[in-house]
Amino acid sequence: MAMTGNSGRGGFSNKLGFILAAAGSAVGLGNIWKFPFEVADGGGAAFLILYLGFCFILCYPVMVAEITIGRHTNKNPVGAFKALKGGGFTIVGLLGIISGFLILSFYNVVAGWAFGYFLEMVQGNFGIGQEFGSFTANWQRVGFYGLIFMAITAFIVSRGISGGIEKAARFLMPALIIMILGLMFYAFTLPHAGEGLSFYLVPDFSEITFDVVYSALGQAFFSLSLGMGALITYGSYVSKKDNIVSSAAYITLFDVGIAFIAGLMMFPLVAYLSEGDMASISGGPGLIFVTLPGVFESLGPVLGIIIGSVFFLLLSFAALTSTVSLLEVPVAYVVDEWKIKRSAASWLVAGLIFAIGVPSLLSYGASASLSSMNVLPGVEGGVAFLDLVGFIANDTFLPLGGCIISIFVIYKWKRKNFDAEIEEGNPGFKGSFLQKYLNITLSYIAPIVLAIIFLLTFLNLYFGITLL
Ligand code: PHE
């Protein structure tokens, strides 16, 4: 295993290896499955603008903070806060580990769907788009796919950092991008592409309600793998020679770029299938699963099967580099703090998370009571258990984690220590504009804005109280 100066825990072989692995963590179902339906449900371009603003203004500094904490301490999130004498702040590390459990528990179910769709496409079953509901309701089958997915994830994590995670990310990302770009150009040629693009790119600000704001914020954190210590953990394998601020900039640009082109691909396709009637599109978690098979069918039987199966295969791989990072967080914790061997820890934690994911697995049709739960006063109608976990983890825990991490680096760890760690591998940082920008955002903007949105989200989602 390649080392980069970290004490025996393994490390990325070089800067590019780290960027690719972190980008592999960031790019996943969040970009290609979740982002388009969140945009659709959030009214189109208005959501997009909020999302972009949150990613670049708030999330990028939080990403720098996470990687810096990780590299400085060489530890998992809980160990990192302890090492920096974080006191009560250590709770964020724990919150991160719980978020990792929750997110992976439902994420793995959706990854199982993607993998199942790959198998359907191989057989040329384009009708599966219309049967999405019965597909997900067949819990034995999708449960089996989920089990395979979790096992592959556990296997990769058990092999450690440069052995498994890095190698997987190296060639899958470029392949996925080429695929999305190809489909995007195809989508541009279809009838009604213009209506789809204007829904996606021309904002109607009257669409912005508070739930659009918090969904965009939750999506920004989720998509960038932030707020739960995934990047503290990955940062702990980064070399002192690397430039953290530029690495974080590449990861952010890459992740946001892929989500953006996924939208450019999806909305013309949706417009094509709905004959330009964007008001009628039903978003929700089924969006890509319902829409894409019909599009692949339009390519003709041979091309349709090839493109359709490659697409869902690559989507499964993109999900895999994310599930690996989600599992890595609790596994690093167990390995570091409980001194359990990496391989045993990986299988144990993966098994536990799979078990926690069973209600999510059953909540898309298999169990009526789990499929529509009236537990969130802030959400109209019932929510599926799988979505409920998303509301709790993505929209509440991650931004809260980001808020506390910002406060921690500046006020507890102290700005000068934080800056000194960034300067390693980046001598020009001192006195730069970026230094001022990061300091101002992490000292004031991120804590205040994130705390306000967190409080309003909490009241809105869980108590149905809307102040804005
Ligand atoms: N960012 C991943 C995605 O977009 C999901 C993820 C969230 C991974 C949090 C790690 C931590 O699919």
Side-chain angles (χ1 to χ4, degrees):
M1 182 182 293
M3 297 286 182
T4 51
N6 295 328
S7 47
R9 296 170 71 244
F12 291 108
S13 6
N14 55 32
K15 178 174 170 187
L16 186 67
F18 164 65
I19 292 179
L20 284 176
S25 163
V27 175
L29 295 170
N31 307 58
I32 294 151
W33 161 69
K34 204 167 197 317
F35 176 72
F37 84 73
E38 294 268 0
V39 173
D41 292 345
F47 180 98
L48 175 69
I49 291 174
L50 284 171
Y51 166 79
L52 292 175
F54 286 141
C55 284
F56 290 119
I57 298 171
L58 291 180
C59 292
Y60 169 69
V62 175
M63 181 182 290
V64 172
E66 281 203 24
I67 299 174
T68 309
I69 294 175
R71 187 178 71 173
H72 185 78
T73 57
N74 262 335
K75 293 234 154 57
N76 68 84
V78 172
F81 286 103
K82 277 196 200 151
L84 294 172
K85 307 216 173 6
F89 283 94
T90 311
I91 203 98
V92 207
L94 269 178
L95 186 73
I97 289 172
I98 297 171
S99 308
F101 262 75
L102 293 178
I103 294 177
L104 184 52
S105 76
F106 78 81
Y107 198 95
N108 187 64
V109 173
V110 182
W113 297 348
F115 182 64
Y117 260 57
F118 157 66
L119 299 177
E120 298 296 332
M121 289 298 114
V122 171
Q123 299 165 52
N125 179 11
F126 300 115
I128 192 71
Q130 298 313 313
E131 291 156 22
F132 174 67
S134 44
F135 172 82
T136 55
N138 185 342
W139 67 270
Q140 291 94 331
R141 195 161 59 139
V142 283
F144 176 66
Y145 298 148
L147 197 63
I148 297 180
F149 215 89
M150 190 63 95
I152 300 174
T153 306
F155 176 71
I156 297 179
V157 171
S158 72
R159 296 191 49 199
I161 287 303
S162 65
I165 298 174
E166 201 185 311
K167 281 208 185 88
R170 256 173 207 265
F171 71 100
L172 298 171
M173 283 299 122
L176 182 71
I177 298 174
I178 293 171
M179 189 82 203
I180 299 175
L181 283 175
L183 281 172
M184 178 189 88
F185 286 119
Y186 171 66
F188 287 173
T189 67
L190 295 171
H192 303 292
E195 281 111 305
L197 286 176
S198 69
F199 174 79
Y200 183 46
L201 299 173
V202 183
D204 170 0
F205 289 107
S206 68
E207 292 281 349
I208 299 187
T209 51
F210 181 66
D211 43 344
V212 175
V213 175
Y214 78 67
S215 310
L217 182 69
Q219 174 62 18
F221 271 85
F222 177 73
S223 176
L224 290 166
S225 304
L226 283 181
M228 52 158 278
L231 292 175
I232 295 184
T233 310
Y234 272 24
S236 74
Y237 305 109
V238 169
S239 152
K240 292 278 187 202
K241 291 194 290 272
D242 288 349
N243 179 335
I244 295 178
V245 286
S246 70
S247 300
Y250 288 129
I251 298 163
T252 307
L253 280 172
F254 196 71
D255 183 66
V256 172
I258 293 196
F260 183 69
I261 59 169
L264 287 178
M265 168 194 88
M266 264 323 279
F267 289 99
L269 295 179
V270 171
Y272 164 62
L273 293 176
S274 65
E275 297 181 346
D277 181 10
M278 294 307 284
S280 75
I281 60 167
S282 57
L287 184 65
I288 67 162
F289 293 104
V290 173
T291 308
L292 289 178
V295 173
F296 296 136
E297 186 169 23
S298 74
L299 295 169
V302 179
L303 199 59
I305 289 184
I306 297 174
I307 305 276
S309 28
V310 175
F311 179 86
F312 280 107
L313 186 64
L314 288 175
L315 181 61
S316 308
F317 277 125
L320 187 63
T321 49
S322 302
T323 53
V324 159
S325 72
L326 283 159
L327 184 61
E328 174 63 25
V329 175
V331 167
Y333 168 69
V334 172
V335 170
D336 289 349
E337 308 294 312
W338 298 355
K339 313 278 178 244
I340 296 183
K341 272 221 204 89
R342 176 169 271 275
S343 58
S346 306
W347 292 103
L348 215 75
V349 176
L352 197 62
I353 296 179
F354 184 80
I356 297 176
V358 169
S360 291
L361 172 70
L362 298 177
S363 72
Y364 263 75
S367 150
S369 50
L370 288 172
S371 304
S372 178
M373 304 168 71
N374 280 312
V375 283
L376 285 181
V379 180
E380 262 173 54
V383 276
F385 189 88
L386 187 150
D387 299 314
L388 174 68
V389 181
F391 278 118
I392 297 173
N394 305 356
D395 294 349
T396 337
F397 285 4
L398 298 184
L400 176 64
C403 176
I404 306 179
I405 288 169
S406 317
I407 297 174
F408 173 79
V409 284
I410 302 292
Y411 300 104
K412 179 80 186 170
W413 186 23
K414 299 286 187 245
R415 186 145 76 189
K416 64 175 189 324
N417 298 322
F418 172 63
D419 284 352
E421 179 64 38
I422 299 181
E423 274 164 39
E424 291 217 36
N426 182 5
F429 182 66
K430 204 174 188 154
S432 64
F433 167 76
L434 202 60
Q435 181 193 27
K436 293 191 188 73
Y437 172 69
L438 287 174
N439 280 333
I440 291 176
T441 335
L442 290 169
S443 308
Y444 310 108
I445 304 177
I448 295 172
V449 174
L450 291 174
I452 293 175
I453 300 184
F454 169 76
L455 281 175
L456 294 175
T457 308
F458 193 74
L459 292 174
N460 181 307
L461 258 181
Y462 304 105
F463 298 96
I465 302 169
T466 308
L467 298 180
L468 273 185

